[in-house]
Amino acid sequence: LTTSTSRYGLAVESTRERLIDAATRLLDEGGPAAVTLRDVGRMAGVSHNAPYKHFADKEDLLAAVAARELARQRVRRRRSPDAEDRPADEVLRAMMHRYVRWALRHPARFKLTFGSWSTDSAELAAAATDARSALISAVERAQAAHTLGAGDPERVAALILATAHGAVDLALGGHVSRTGKGRADPYDVVDDLLDRLRP
Amino acid sequence: LTTSTSRYGLAVESTRERLIDAATRLLDEGGPAAVTLRDVGRMAGVSHNAPYKHFADKEDLLAAVAARELARQRVRRRRSPDAEDRPADEVLRAMMHRYVRWALRHPARFKLTFGSWSTDSAELAAAATDARSALISAVERAQAAHTLGAGDPERVAALILATAHGAVDLALGGHVSRTGKGRADPYDVVDDLLDRLRP
DNA sequence: ACCTGAACACCGTTCAAGT
DNA sequence: ACCTGAACACCGTTCAAGT
């Protein structure tokens, strides 16, 4: 754990954690270019090169932002009321809608997380694998309940993820106008696919 | 036309065209960050701020790179032997495969072209609309030939494009391992979708 | 109309030094 | 172990000046 509690009961964030906080805020406001180590340091109350004591370089700091984002998604996924009470196809649909909502709300984090990493962090790889297997098992449950067509679950999962990912990315680029008849927002695109994947 | 021919028969590129050439090459080699105006100028044989006489700023130069890329795709699309002799579903599939091949071959151009543009160039918008309508009419022809399921052509086209786009983007991020059983490369993902969209 | 060279502000990164 | 301040090389952009 990176957050400790002082004897006065105040949550005290480590410098490392405050640096990641600052980087995330700057990223949300202006993309990776706006994450200058000078501003990061200033926001965290340290000098402009204190970050180098915690991260190898700027990319390593951004990798930590992405890793924390994925870790939080994992926690949220574990907390969400799952397969037991709701129909499996609804669970799957809700999972993809959550993905779209997160991406639209935090476009810079979305772009960062799915960008290329020369720093191959084990943390990032593990989080990605975890998300992938959660999607695959949701697909398997929906197939078992006969609310989703048959086929290799990994292939079906890859198809669903690609569609959701692409719909969001095109929407963020402004290449899909959200209004106008016949136009589909990312939620609609995901729904269209899931409807057509029915058995 | 930006290329004129000298009286000796040599194709002479305008400075503007040479600047776009240089920017494209640097982009392919190292992404947008590698496109420094100093290197662009050097490669084009001019000073490091000659580009400002042709483009408002760096983003405007990159917009010109994207616009030229889209214009070339349009030419290629117009040249390709179309709907007449081949089955409509094959034409549609070939169109999406061409999209995937282009993106995998020129990842930096792909990312650039579909990124956000604060410079809203009319050229870019026109090229995007042209590509979109080409896809929609391919969908309509396949539907008319009953080799593609019914539904609003714009919605079906949006679904297909989102899937191809997302499959490529995930592959470029290294989030889809190309080998291993059950794993699907972008071509497979597109094929899976088209197969499931059959009537 | 098109280009150059100097200059400015800014950024990532390194280094020697401090507690 | 963690941090600071000065310094270096590099970059986008501006400006005055040249033909």
Side-chain angles (χ1 to χ4, degrees), chain B residues 5-21:
Chain B
T5 305
S6 75
R7 57 181 153 160
Y8 301 105
L10 291 169
V12 173
E13 275 187 312
S14 67
T15 298
R16 190 189 140 90
E17 209 66 11
R18 273 182 295 125
L19 289 170
I20 299 180
D21 284 344

Side-chain angles (χ1 to χ4, degrees), chain B residues 16-76:
Chain B
R16 190 189 140 90
E17 209 66 11
R18 273 182 295 125
L19 289 170
I20 299 180
D21 284 344
T24 303
R25 212 152 100 195
L26 291 166
L27 177 75
D28 285 342
E29 285 166 9
V35 184
T36 68
L37 295 183
R38 283 164 166 84
D39 278 345
V40 167
R42 214 185 330 264
M43 284 180 62
V46 291
S47 78
H48 74 279
N49 47 22
Y52 285 95
K53 308 303 161 184
H54 301 270
F55 306 97
D57 51 23
K58 179 176 170 172
E59 194 194 3
D60 196 42
L61 170 59
L62 289 175
V65 171
R68 196 176 71 173
E69 193 64 23
L70 289 174
R72 286 181 177 174
Q73 284 183 355
R74 171 149 49 179
V75 169
R76 245 173 275 139

Side-chain angles (χ1 to χ4, degrees), chain A residues 118-185:
Chain A
S118 55
T119 312
D120 43 5
S121 147
E123 211 180 344
L124 273 176
T129 301
D130 193 78
R132 224 177 74 87
S133 62
L135 176 56
I136 291 172
S137 71
V139 164
E140 286 170 337
R141 276 195 281 265
Q143 286 178 327
H146 298 291
T147 48
L148 184 69
D152 181 343
E154 294 203 11
R155 294 284 284 251
V156 176
L159 172 59
I160 294 173
L161 180 60
T163 302
H165 183 88
V168 167
D169 202 45
L170 289 172
L172 291 178
H175 298 277
V176 181
S177 70
R178 229 142 301 177
T179 54
K181 72 165 190 71
R183 303 305 177 82
D185 71 16

Side-chain angles (χ1 to χ4, degrees), chain B residues 94-171:
Chain B
M95 183 180 263
M96 299 321 293
H97 279 210
R98 201 158 52 224
Y99 178 87
V100 169
R101 191 175 339 111
W102 165 74
L104 292 179
R105 243 201 274 239
H106 306 291
R109 299 184 202 179
F110 166 76
K111 294 255 188 198
L112 176 76
T113 304
F114 289 100
S116 306
W117 292 102
S118 57
T119 310
D120 45 3
S121 147
E123 210 179 345
L124 272 176
T129 300
D130 193 78
R132 223 177 74 86
S133 63
L135 176 56
I136 292 172
S137 73
V139 164
E140 285 170 337
R141 276 195 280 265
Q143 286 178 327
H146 299 290
T147 48
L148 184 68
D152 181 343
E154 293 203 12
R155 293 285 283 252
V156 176
L159 173 58
I160 294 172
L161 180 60
T163 302
H165 183 89
V168 167
D169 202 46
L170 289 172

Side-chain angles (χ1 to χ4, degrees), chain A residues 2 16-17 20 54-55 60-72 74 77 113 117 119-131, chain B residues 175:
Chain A
T2 44
R16 191 189 138 91
E17 209 65 12
I20 299 180
H54 301 270
F55 306 97
D60 195 42
L61 169 59
L62 288 175
V65 171
R68 196 176 71 172
E69 192 65 23
L70 288 174
R72 286 181 177 176
R74 171 149 49 180
R77 203 158 43 233
T113 304
W117 292 104
T119 312
D120 43 5
S121 147
E123 211 180 344
L124 273 176
T129 301
D130 193 78
Chain B
H175 298 278

